[in-house]
Amino acid sequence: MRPAVISDAAQVDQRVDNKIRQAGRVNLEQAQTVAVASVAAFGLALLSGVAGFGGGVLLLPVFTALFGLRAAVPMLTLTQVSSNAFRMWLNRREVRWRLVGWFALGAVPLAVAGGLLLAHAPLEPLTRLLGLFLIGVVIWRRRNPHPRRPADRSFTAVGAASGLGSALLGSVGPLTAPFFLAYGLTRAAYIGTEAAAALTMHLAKIAGYGAGDLLTRQVLLYAAALTPATLAGAWAGKKIVGRISERVFVMLVEAGLVVAGVLFLLGG
């Protein structure tokens, strides 16, 4: 009987060793994933800090490759809350709060609805349509370099479209850019106002994701781990944007619109 007992004990020890090694591999893979995601989050938060948008659009493919689309969208939203809040605070003296209010009036209810629809919505057609829209906007701006300034109340419709699209696609910051530019906002005023408007939308999206059971423990932990990188990127972007001219700033935004449009088309 003794050899059998020894054999059973050896098998138990082997299973324990296998579980320990497996746990070690999982922890290493998770650490590597967080490291890659943090580098991407820093660089693209810096881009958002300079251009006022773009980080979320470019970060979504990275997060999707690492975590899968259904986890990537709410995770991206959580990281954008900290990034937008910090950008808003850094540019708080230039924020146009009246526009933020009109934007939030349309964005909040549609963002909640979009958050609830995420688990079942067909994303591919919407992604391609948005890509065509963004490229078309740049072409239109080049043909009409001095567009008519939109009315304050029109930002309710902008917010509604942005809230729904952002809840389904993770980020549609480029969608709002043409309207804020046409209003005459540039540099700190543009970045701060866009960030404040986006913050209201992202908070509403989180409520929708929570109601749809998309805020899993993994999503919350990864989002918390990536927050320092997004804050550092937003701070670095603020240091850069004050050193470029308004003409260069607008050119950067338009270039970002084209890149984002192409990515949406390819991603669709």
Side-chain angles (χ1 to χ4, degrees), residues 56-91:
V57 172
L58 299 174
L59 195 55
L60 182 58
V62 177
F63 277 14
T64 300
L66 293 173
F67 309 109
L69 181 62
R70 301 299 178 186
V73 172
M75 192 182 303
L76 178 62
T77 296
L78 290 169
T79 60
Q80 287 178 315
V81 166
S82 58
S83 178
N84 280 287
F86 195 43
R87 295 210 317 271
M88 178 188 71
W89 185 82
L90 289 173
N91 300 281

PDB file of all heavy atoms in Angstrom, residues 56-91:
ATOM      1  N   GLY A  56      -8.371  57.919 -28.749  1.00  0.00           N
ATOM      2  CA  GLY A  56      -9.334  56.836 -28.593  1.00  0.00           C
ATOM      3  C   GLY A  56      -9.530  56.055 -29.872  1.00  0.00           C
ATOM      4  O   GLY A  56      -9.596  54.821 -29.862  1.00  0.00           O
ATOM      5  N   VAL A  57      -9.614  56.755 -30.996  1.00  0.00           N
ATOM      6  CA  VAL A  57      -9.816  56.093 -32.285  1.00  0.00           C
ATOM      7  C   VAL A  57      -8.657  55.165 -32.606  1.00  0.00           C
ATOM      8  O   VAL A  57      -8.841  54.028 -33.057  1.00  0.00           O
ATOM      9  CB  VAL A  57      -9.981  57.143 -33.402  1.00  0.00           C
ATOM     10  CG1 VAL A  57      -9.995  56.479 -34.771  1.00  0.00           C
ATOM     11  CG2 VAL A  57     -11.262  57.934 -33.190  1.00  0.00           C
ATOM     12  N   LEU A  58      -7.430  55.626 -32.376  1.00  0.00           N
ATOM     13  CA  LEU A  58      -6.250  54.832 -32.685  1.00  0.00           C
ATOM     14  C   LEU A  58      -5.995  53.752 -31.635  1.00  0.00           C
ATOM     15  O   LEU A  58      -5.400  52.711 -31.934  1.00  0.00           O
ATOM     16  CB  LEU A  58      -5.027  55.743 -32.805  1.00  0.00           C
ATOM     17  CG  LEU A  58      -5.105  56.803 -33.904  1.00  0.00           C
ATOM     18  CD1 LEU A  58      -3.900  57.726 -33.834  1.00  0.00           C
ATOM     19  CD2 LEU A  58      -5.175  56.149 -35.279  1.00  0.00           C
ATOM     20  N   LEU A  59      -6.430  54.001 -30.404  1.00  0.00           N
ATOM     21  CA  LEU A  59      -6.201  53.042 -29.332  1.00  0.00           C
ATOM     22  C   LEU A  59      -7.170  51.870 -29.394  1.00  0.00           C
ATOM     23  O   LEU A  59      -6.847  50.768 -28.944  1.00  0.00           O
ATOM     24  CB  LEU A  59      -6.320  53.743 -27.976  1.00  0.00           C
ATOM     25  CG  LEU A  59      -5.772  53.022 -26.742  1.00  0.00           C
ATOM     26  CD1 LEU A  59      -4.314  52.650 -26.941  1.00  0.00           C
ATOM     27  CD2 LEU A  59      -5.931  53.902 -25.507  1.00  0.00           C
ATOM     28  N   LEU A  60      -8.343  52.085 -29.968  1.00  0.00           N
ATOM     29  CA  LEU A  60      -9.332  51.016 -30.019  1.00  0.00           C
ATOM     30  C   LEU A  60      -8.821  49.771 -30.742  1.00  0.00           C
ATOM     31  O   LEU A  60      -9.014  48.655 -30.246  1.00  0.00           O
ATOM     32  CB  LEU A  60     -10.627  51.519 -30.673  1.00  0.00           C
ATOM     33  CG  LEU A  60     -11.770  50.493 -30.745  1.00  0.00           C
ATOM     34  CD1 LEU A  60     -12.138  49.986 -29.348  1.00  0.00           C
ATOM     35  CD2 LEU A  60     -12.984  51.087 -31.431  1.00  0.00           C
ATOM     36  N   PRO A  61      -8.157  49.886 -31.917  1.00  0.00           N
ATOM     37  CA  PRO A  61      -7.630  48.666 -32.544  1.00  0.00           C
ATOM     38  C   PRO A  61      -6.609  47.940 -31.671  1.00  0.00           C
ATOM     39  O   PRO A  61      -6.551  46.706 -31.680  1.00  0.00           O
ATOM     40  CB  PRO A  61      -6.987  49.185 -33.840  1.00  0.00           C
ATOM     41  CG  PRO A  61      -7.660  50.483 -34.105  1.00  0.00           C
ATOM     42  CD  PRO A  61      -7.950  51.071 -32.765  1.00  0.00           C
ATOM     43  N   VAL A  62      -5.794  48.707 -30.922  1.00  0.00           N
ATOM     44  CA  VAL A  62      -4.802  48.086 -30.037  1.00  0.00           C
ATOM     45  C   VAL A  62      -5.504  47.311 -28.928  1.00  0.00           C
ATOM     46  O   VAL A  62      -5.182  46.142 -28.662  1.00  0.00           O
ATOM     47  CB  VAL A  62      -3.865  49.151 -29.434  1.00  0.00           C
ATOM     48  CG1 VAL A  62      -2.871  48.508 -28.462  1.00  0.00           C
ATOM     49  CG2 VAL A  62      -3.128  49.890 -30.535  1.00  0.00           C
ATOM     50  N   PHE A  63      -6.462  47.948 -28.276  1.00  0.00           N
ATOM     51  CA  PHE A  63      -7.196  47.290 -27.191  1.00  0.00           C
ATOM     52  C   PHE A  63      -7.989  46.089 -27.719  1.00  0.00           C
ATOM     53  O   PHE A  63      -8.106  45.069 -27.035  1.00  0.00           O
ATOM     54  CB  PHE A  63      -8.145  48.282 -26.520  1.00  0.00           C
ATOM     55  CG  PHE A  63      -7.487  49.150 -25.485  1.00  0.00           C
ATOM     56  CD1 PHE A  63      -6.104  49.226 -25.398  1.00  0.00           C
ATOM     57  CD2 PHE A  63      -8.237  49.881 -24.583  1.00  0.00           C
ATOM     58  CE1 PHE A  63      -5.488  50.022 -24.447  1.00  0.00           C
ATOM     59  CE2 PHE A  63      -7.630  50.672 -23.617  1.00  0.00           C
ATOM     60  CZ  PHE A  63      -6.253  50.747 -23.553  1.00  0.00           C
ATOM     61  N   THR A  64      -8.536  46.212 -28.921  1.00  0.00           N
ATOM     62  CA  THR A  64      -9.309  45.104 -29.490  1.00  0.00           C
ATOM     63  C   THR A  64      -8.420  43.893 -29.722  1.00  0.00           C
ATOM     64  O   THR A  64      -8.806  42.754 -29.442  1.00  0.00           O
ATOM     65  CB  THR A  64      -9.971  45.529 -30.810  1.00  0.00           C
ATOM     66  OG1 THR A  64     -10.850  46.629 -30.556  1.00  0.00           O
ATOM     67  CG2 THR A  64     -10.762  44.391 -31.417  1.00  0.00           C
ATOM     68  N   ALA A  65      -7.198  44.129 -30.239  1.00  0.00           N
ATOM     69  CA  ALA A  65      -6.258  43.025 -30.466  1.00  0.00           C
ATOM     70  C   ALA A  65      -5.842  42.363 -29.160  1.00  0.00           C
ATOM     71  O   ALA A  65      -5.630  41.152 -29.104  1.00  0.00           O
ATOM     72  CB  ALA A  65      -5.029  43.531 -31.215  1.00  0.00           C
ATOM     73  N   LEU A  66      -5.733  43.149 -28.093  1.00  0.00           N
ATOM     74  CA  LEU A  66      -5.267  42.620 -26.817  1.00  0.00           C
ATOM     75  C   LEU A  66      -6.372  41.990 -25.988  1.00  0.00           C
ATOM     76  O   LEU A  66      -6.147  40.997 -25.291  1.00  0.00           O
ATOM     77  CB  LEU A  66      -4.599  43.736 -26.003  1.00  0.00           C
ATOM     78  CG  LEU A  66      -3.291  44.310 -26.555  1.00  0.00           C
ATOM     79  CD1 LEU A  66      -2.855  45.513 -25.733  1.00  0.00           C
ATOM     80  CD2 LEU A  66      -2.202  43.251 -26.556  1.00  0.00           C
ATOM     81  N   PHE A  67      -7.579  42.567 -26.042  1.00  0.00           N
ATOM     82  CA  PHE A  67      -8.622  42.161 -25.104  1.00  0.00           C
ATOM     83  C   PHE A  67      -9.915  41.683 -25.764  1.00  0.00           C
ATOM     84  O   PHE A  67     -10.771  41.133 -25.071  1.00  0.00           O
ATOM     85  CB  PHE A  67      -8.966  43.333 -24.163  1.00  0.00           C
ATOM     86  CG  PHE A  67      -7.771  43.955 -23.505  1.00  0.00           C
ATOM     87  CD1 PHE A  67      -7.339  45.226 -23.865  1.00  0.00           C
ATOM     88  CD2 PHE A  67      -7.075  43.280 -22.525  1.00  0.00           C
ATOM     89  CE1 PHE A  67      -6.241  45.804 -23.255  1.00  0.00           C
ATOM     90  CE2 PHE A  67      -5.970  43.852 -21.907  1.00  0.00           C
ATOM     91  CZ  PHE A  67      -5.549  45.117 -22.273  1.00  0.00           C
ATOM     92  N   GLY A  68     -10.090  41.913 -27.065  1.00  0.00           N
ATOM     93  CA  GLY A  68     -11.358  41.604 -27.715  1.00  0.00           C
ATOM     94  C   GLY A  68     -12.270  42.816 -27.707  1.00  0.00           C
ATOM     95  O   GLY A  68     -12.226  43.642 -26.786  1.00  0.00           O
ATOM     96  N   LEU A  69     -13.133  42.934 -28.734  1.00  0.00           N
ATOM     97  CA  LEU A  69     -13.916  44.150 -28.935  1.00  0.00           C
ATOM     98  C   LEU A  69     -14.867  44.446 -27.783  1.00  0.00           C
ATOM     99  O   LEU A  69     -14.963  45.581 -27.326  1.00  0.00           O
ATOM    100  CB  LEU A  69     -14.708  44.051 -30.238  1.00  0.00           C
ATOM    101  CG  LEU A  69     -15.561  45.268 -30.584  1.00  0.00           C
ATOM    102  CD1 LEU A  69     -14.685  46.506 -30.773  1.00  0.00           C
ATOM    103  CD2 LEU A  69     -16.386  45.018 -31.840  1.00  0.00           C
ATOM    104  N   ARG A  70     -15.579  43.440 -27.291  1.00  0.00           N
ATOM    105  CA  ARG A  70     -16.592  43.690 -26.267  1.00  0.00           C
ATOM    106  C   ARG A  70     -15.973  44.166 -24.962  1.00  0.00           C
ATOM    107  O   ARG A  70     -16.613  44.896 -24.201  1.00  0.00           O
ATOM    108  CB  ARG A  70     -17.411  42.424 -26.007  1.00  0.00           C
ATOM    109  CG  ARG A  70     -18.140  41.887 -27.224  1.00  0.00           C
ATOM    110  CD  ARG A  70     -19.154  42.871 -27.800  1.00  0.00           C
ATOM    111  NE  ARG A  70     -19.793  42.321 -28.994  1.00  0.00           N
ATOM    112  CZ  ARG A  70     -20.627  42.977 -29.774  1.00  0.00           C
ATOM    113  NH1 ARG A  70     -20.950  44.219 -29.498  1.00  0.00           N
ATOM    114  NH2 ARG A  70     -21.143  42.415 -30.845  1.00  0.00           N
ATOM    115  N   ALA A  71     -14.749  43.745 -24.678  1.00  0.00           N
ATOM    116  CA  ALA A  71     -14.051  44.243 -23.488  1.00  0.00           C
ATOM    117  C   ALA A  71     -13.319  45.546 -23.794  1.00  0.00           C
ATOM    118  O   ALA A  71     -13.191  46.413 -22.933  1.00  0.00           O
ATOM    119  CB  ALA A  71     -13.059  43.202 -22.969  1.00  0.00           C
ATOM    120  N   ALA A  72     -12.832  45.696 -25.042  1.00  0.00           N
ATOM    121  CA  ALA A  72     -12.027  46.867 -25.403  1.00  0.00           C
ATOM    122  C   ALA A  72     -12.825  48.159 -25.319  1.00  0.00           C
ATOM    123  O   ALA A  72     -12.312  49.189 -24.870  1.00  0.00           O
ATOM    124  CB  ALA A  72     -11.462  46.693 -26.814  1.00  0.00           C
ATOM    125  N   VAL A  73     -14.092  48.130 -25.759  1.00  0.00           N
ATOM    126  CA  VAL A  73     -14.886  49.359 -25.802  1.00  0.00           C
ATOM    127  C   VAL A  73     -15.128  49.932 -24.408  1.00  0.00           C
ATOM    128  O   VAL A  73     -14.843  51.106 -24.160  1.00  0.00           O
ATOM    129  CB  VAL A  73     -16.202  49.131 -26.564  1.00  0.00           C
ATOM    130  CG1 VAL A  73     -17.105  50.345 -26.444  1.00  0.00           C
ATOM    131  CG2 VAL A  73     -15.920  48.839 -28.032  1.00  0.00           C
ATOM    132  N   PRO A  74     -15.646  49.154 -23.437  1.00  0.00           N
ATOM    133  CA  PRO A  74     -15.804  49.733 -22.093  1.00  0.00           C
ATOM    134  C   PRO A  74     -14.474  50.062 -21.424  1.00  0.00           C
ATOM    135  O   PRO A  74     -14.371  51.043 -20.685  1.00  0.00           O
ATOM    136  CB  PRO A  74     -16.567  48.649 -21.315  1.00  0.00           C
ATOM    137  CG  PRO A  74     -16.387  47.403 -22.085  1.00  0.00           C
ATOM    138  CD  PRO A  74     -16.250  47.808 -23.516  1.00  0.00           C
ATOM    139  N   MET A  75     -13.428  49.263 -21.703  1.00  0.00           N
ATOM    140  CA  MET A  75     -12.115  49.544 -21.126  1.00  0.00           C
ATOM    141  C   MET A  75     -11.567  50.862 -21.654  1.00  0.00           C
ATOM    142  O   MET A  75     -11.021  51.689 -20.906  1.00  0.00           O
ATOM    143  CB  MET A  75     -11.152  48.406 -21.463  1.00  0.00           C
ATOM    144  CG  MET A  75      -9.846  48.429 -20.696  1.00  0.00           C
ATOM    145  SD  MET A  75      -8.768  47.070 -21.209  1.00  0.00           S
ATOM    146  CE  MET A  75      -9.840  45.668 -20.877  1.00  0.00           C
ATOM    147  N   LEU A  76     -11.716  51.085 -22.953  1.00  0.00           N
ATOM    148  CA  LEU A  76     -11.284  52.339 -23.558  1.00  0.00           C
ATOM    149  C   LEU A  76     -12.037  53.514 -22.955  1.00  0.00           C
ATOM    150  O   LEU A  76     -11.458  54.563 -22.676  1.00  0.00           O
ATOM    151  CB  LEU A  76     -11.508  52.281 -25.069  1.00  0.00           C
ATOM    152  CG  LEU A  76     -11.162  53.539 -25.866  1.00  0.00           C
ATOM    153  CD1 LEU A  76      -9.687  53.874 -25.734  1.00  0.00           C
ATOM    154  CD2 LEU A  76     -11.538  53.353 -27.338  1.00  0.00           C
ATOM    155  N   THR A  77     -13.331  53.341 -22.727  1.00  0.00           N
ATOM    156  CA  THR A  77     -14.135  54.414 -22.137  1.00  0.00           C
ATOM    157  C   THR A  77     -13.625  54.782 -20.754  1.00  0.00           C
ATOM    158  O   THR A  77     -13.507  55.972 -20.410  1.00  0.00           O
ATOM    159  CB  THR A  77     -15.605  53.978 -22.053  1.00  0.00           C
ATOM    160  OG1 THR A  77     -16.115  53.778 -23.375  1.00  0.00           O
ATOM    161  CG2 THR A  77     -16.451  55.042 -21.354  1.00  0.00           C
ATOM    162  N   LEU A  78     -13.293  53.794 -19.939  1.00  0.00           N
ATOM    163  CA  LEU A  78     -12.796  54.061 -18.589  1.00  0.00           C
ATOM    164  C   LEU A  78     -11.478  54.823 -18.617  1.00  0.00           C
ATOM    165  O   LEU A  78     -11.262  55.735 -17.816  1.00  0.00           O
ATOM    166  CB  LEU A  78     -12.632  52.742 -17.823  1.00  0.00           C
ATOM    167  CG  LEU A  78     -13.943  52.042 -17.440  1.00  0.00           C
ATOM    168  CD1 LEU A  78     -13.656  50.637 -16.934  1.00  0.00           C
ATOM    169  CD2 LEU A  78     -14.691  52.841 -16.381  1.00  0.00           C
ATOM    170  N   THR A  79     -10.581  54.466 -19.530  1.00  0.00           N
ATOM    171  CA  THR A  79      -9.315  55.197 -19.619  1.00  0.00           C
ATOM    172  C   THR A  79      -9.540  56.609 -20.155  1.00  0.00           C
ATOM    173  O   THR A  79      -8.830  57.542 -19.773  1.00  0.00           O
ATOM    174  CB  THR A  79      -8.316  54.461 -20.526  1.00  0.00           C
ATOM    175  OG1 THR A  79      -8.846  54.324 -21.847  1.00  0.00           O
ATOM    176  CG2 THR A  79      -7.999  53.078 -19.983  1.00  0.00           C
ATOM    177  N   GLN A  80     -10.535  56.784 -21.028  1.00  0.00           N
ATOM    178  CA  GLN A  80     -10.810  58.108 -21.579  1.00  0.00           C
ATOM    179  C   GLN A  80     -11.407  59.051 -20.539  1.00  0.00           C
ATOM    180  O   GLN A  80     -11.260  60.264 -20.653  1.00  0.00           O
ATOM    181  CB  GLN A  80     -11.749  57.988 -22.779  1.00  0.00           C
ATOM    182  CG  GLN A  80     -11.080  57.424 -24.014  1.00  0.00           C
ATOM    183  CD  GLN A  80     -12.051  57.279 -25.163  1.00  0.00           C
ATOM    184  OE1 GLN A  80     -13.166  56.795 -25.007  1.00  0.00           O
ATOM    185  NE2 GLN A  80     -11.636  57.687 -26.336  1.00  0.00           N
ATOM    186  N   VAL A  81     -12.093  58.502 -19.545  1.00  0.00           N
ATOM    187  CA  VAL A  81     -12.633  59.352 -18.483  1.00  0.00           C
ATOM    188  C   VAL A  81     -11.504  60.099 -17.792  1.00  0.00           C
ATOM    189  O   VAL A  81     -11.555  61.324 -17.620  1.00  0.00           O
ATOM    190  CB  VAL A  81     -13.436  58.510 -17.468  1.00  0.00           C
ATOM    191  CG1 VAL A  81     -13.708  59.320 -16.203  1.00  0.00           C
ATOM    192  CG2 VAL A  81     -14.750  58.067 -18.075  1.00  0.00           C
ATOM    193  N   SER A  82     -10.467  59.387 -17.391  1.00  0.00           N
ATOM    194  CA  SER A  82      -9.342  60.040 -16.708  1.00  0.00           C
ATOM    195  C   SER A  82      -8.595  60.974 -17.647  1.00  0.00           C
ATOM    196  O   SER A  82      -8.213  62.090 -17.264  1.00  0.00           O
ATOM    197  CB  SER A  82      -8.383  58.986 -16.131  1.00  0.00           C
ATOM    198  OG  SER A  82      -7.890  58.140 -17.152  1.00  0.00           O
ATOM    199  N   SER A  83      -8.391  60.555 -18.892  1.00  0.00           N
ATOM    200  CA  SER A  83      -7.664  61.378 -19.848  1.00  0.00           C
ATOM    201  C   SER A  83      -8.413  62.671 -20.156  1.00  0.00           C
ATOM    202  O   SER A  83      -7.832  63.766 -20.148  1.00  0.00           O
ATOM    203  CB  SER A  83      -7.426  60.583 -21.136  1.00  0.00           C
ATOM    204  OG  SER A  83      -6.774  61.371 -22.104  1.00  0.00           O
ATOM    205  N   ASN A  84      -9.718  62.572 -20.427  1.00  0.00           N
ATOM    206  CA  ASN A  84     -10.506  63.768 -20.736  1.00  0.00           C
ATOM    207  C   ASN A  84     -10.659  64.684 -19.524  1.00  0.00           C
ATOM    208  O   ASN A  84     -10.636  65.910 -19.664  1.00  0.00           O
ATOM    209  CB  ASN A  84     -11.887  63.367 -21.260  1.00  0.00           C
ATOM    210  CG  ASN A  84     -11.854  62.983 -22.729  1.00  0.00           C
ATOM    211  OD1 ASN A  84     -11.721  63.825 -23.603  1.00  0.00           O
ATOM    212  ND2 ASN A  84     -11.961  61.695 -23.000  1.00  0.00           N
ATOM    213  N   ALA A  85     -10.836  64.098 -18.347  1.00  0.00           N
ATOM    214  CA  ALA A  85     -10.947  64.915 -17.138  1.00  0.00           C
ATOM    215  C   ALA A  85      -9.675  65.710 -16.915  1.00  0.00           C
ATOM    216  O   ALA A  85      -9.718  66.900 -16.545  1.00  0.00           O
ATOM    217  CB  ALA A  85     -11.241  64.032 -15.927  1.00  0.00           C
ATOM    218  N   PHE A  86      -8.522  65.084 -17.154  1.00  0.00           N
ATOM    219  CA  PHE A  86      -7.241  65.767 -16.954  1.00  0.00           C
ATOM    220  C   PHE A  86      -7.031  66.844 -18.008  1.00  0.00           C
ATOM    221  O   PHE A  86      -6.576  67.954 -17.705  1.00  0.00           O
ATOM    222  CB  PHE A  86      -6.111  64.738 -16.996  1.00  0.00           C
ATOM    223  CG  PHE A  86      -4.802  65.253 -16.457  1.00  0.00           C
ATOM    224  CD1 PHE A  86      -4.759  66.014 -15.298  1.00  0.00           C
ATOM    225  CD2 PHE A  86      -3.616  64.965 -17.098  1.00  0.00           C
ATOM    226  CE1 PHE A  86      -3.556  66.489 -14.796  1.00  0.00           C
ATOM    227  CE2 PHE A  86      -2.408  65.422 -16.601  1.00  0.00           C
ATOM    228  CZ  PHE A  86      -2.384  66.189 -15.446  1.00  0.00           C
ATOM    229  N   ARG A  87      -7.375  66.555 -19.279  1.00  0.00           N
ATOM    230  CA  ARG A  87      -7.250  67.561 -20.331  1.00  0.00           C
ATOM    231  C   ARG A  87      -8.181  68.739 -20.073  1.00  0.00           C
ATOM    232  O   ARG A  87      -7.815  69.895 -20.320  1.00  0.00           O
ATOM    233  CB  ARG A  87      -7.551  66.948 -21.707  1.00  0.00           C
ATOM    234  CG  ARG A  87      -6.570  65.913 -22.154  1.00  0.00           C
ATOM    235  CD  ARG A  87      -6.424  65.840 -23.670  1.00  0.00           C
ATOM    236  NE  ARG A  87      -7.668  65.916 -24.395  1.00  0.00           N
ATOM    237  CZ  ARG A  87      -8.412  64.871 -24.720  1.00  0.00           C
ATOM    238  NH1 ARG A  87      -8.065  63.669 -24.333  1.00  0.00           N
ATOM    239  NH2 ARG A  87      -9.505  65.028 -25.426  1.00  0.00           N
ATOM    240  N   MET A  88      -9.380  68.459 -19.590  1.00  0.00           N
ATOM    241  CA  MET A  88     -10.313  69.534 -19.257  1.00  0.00           C
ATOM    242  C   MET A  88      -9.732  70.418 -18.160  1.00  0.00           C
ATOM    243  O   MET A  88      -9.792  71.657 -18.247  1.00  0.00           O
ATOM    244  CB  MET A  88     -11.650  68.943 -18.804  1.00  0.00           C
ATOM    245  CG  MET A  88     -12.688  69.988 -18.392  1.00  0.00           C
ATOM    246  SD  MET A  88     -14.159  69.243 -17.645  1.00  0.00           S
ATOM    247  CE  MET A  88     -13.467  68.697 -16.068  1.00  0.00           C
ATOM    248  N   TRP A  89      -9.174  69.797 -17.126  1.00  0.00           N
ATOM    249  CA  TRP A  89      -8.606  70.571 -16.017  1.00  0.00           C
ATOM    250  C   TRP A  89      -7.404  71.390 -16.476  1.00  0.00           C
ATOM    251  O   TRP A  89      -7.258  72.558 -16.083  1.00  0.00           O
ATOM    252  CB  TRP A  89      -8.195  69.620 -14.891  1.00  0.00           C
ATOM    253  CG  TRP A  89      -7.708  70.346 -13.678  1.00  0.00           C
ATOM    254  CD1 TRP A  89      -8.450  70.910 -12.693  1.00  0.00           C
ATOM    255  CD2 TRP A  89      -6.334  70.619 -13.338  1.00  0.00           C
ATOM    256  NE1 TRP A  89      -7.648  71.504 -11.754  1.00  0.00           N
ATOM    257  CE2 TRP A  89      -6.346  71.340 -12.126  1.00  0.00           C
ATOM    258  CE3 TRP A  89      -5.124  70.304 -13.935  1.00  0.00           C
ATOM    259  CZ2 TRP A  89      -5.170  71.763 -11.506  1.00  0.00           C
ATOM    260  CZ3 TRP A  89      -3.947  70.721 -13.332  1.00  0.00           C
ATOM    261  CH2 TRP A  89      -3.983  71.449 -12.125  1.00  0.00           C
ATOM    262  N   LEU A  90      -6.554  70.823 -17.326  1.00  0.00           N
ATOM    263  CA  LEU A  90      -5.375  71.544 -17.803  1.00  0.00           C
ATOM    264  C   LEU A  90      -5.754  72.770 -18.633  1.00  0.00           C
ATOM    265  O   LEU A  90      -5.013  73.756 -18.670  1.00  0.00           O
ATOM    266  CB  LEU A  90      -4.494  70.610 -18.640  1.00  0.00           C
ATOM    267  CG  LEU A  90      -3.749  69.498 -17.886  1.00  0.00           C
ATOM    268  CD1 LEU A  90      -3.067  68.550 -18.869  1.00  0.00           C
ATOM    269  CD2 LEU A  90      -2.726  70.083 -16.914  1.00  0.00           C
ATOM    270  N   ASN A  91      -6.906  72.709 -19.305  1.00  0.00           N
ATOM    271  CA  ASN A  91      -7.345  73.814 -20.175  1.00  0.00           C
ATOM    272  C   ASN A  91      -8.624  74.458 -19.658  1.00  0.00           C
ATOM    273  O   ASN A  91      -9.371  75.076 -20.426  1.00  0.00           O
ATOM    274  CB  ASN A  91      -7.585  73.276 -21.595  1.00  0.00           C
ATOM    275  CG  ASN A  91      -6.349  72.666 -22.207  1.00  0.00           C
ATOM    276  OD1 ASN A  91      -5.466  73.357 -22.699  1.00  0.00           O
ATOM    277  ND2 ASN A  91      -6.271  71.335 -22.189  1.00  0.00           N
TER     278      ASN A  91
END
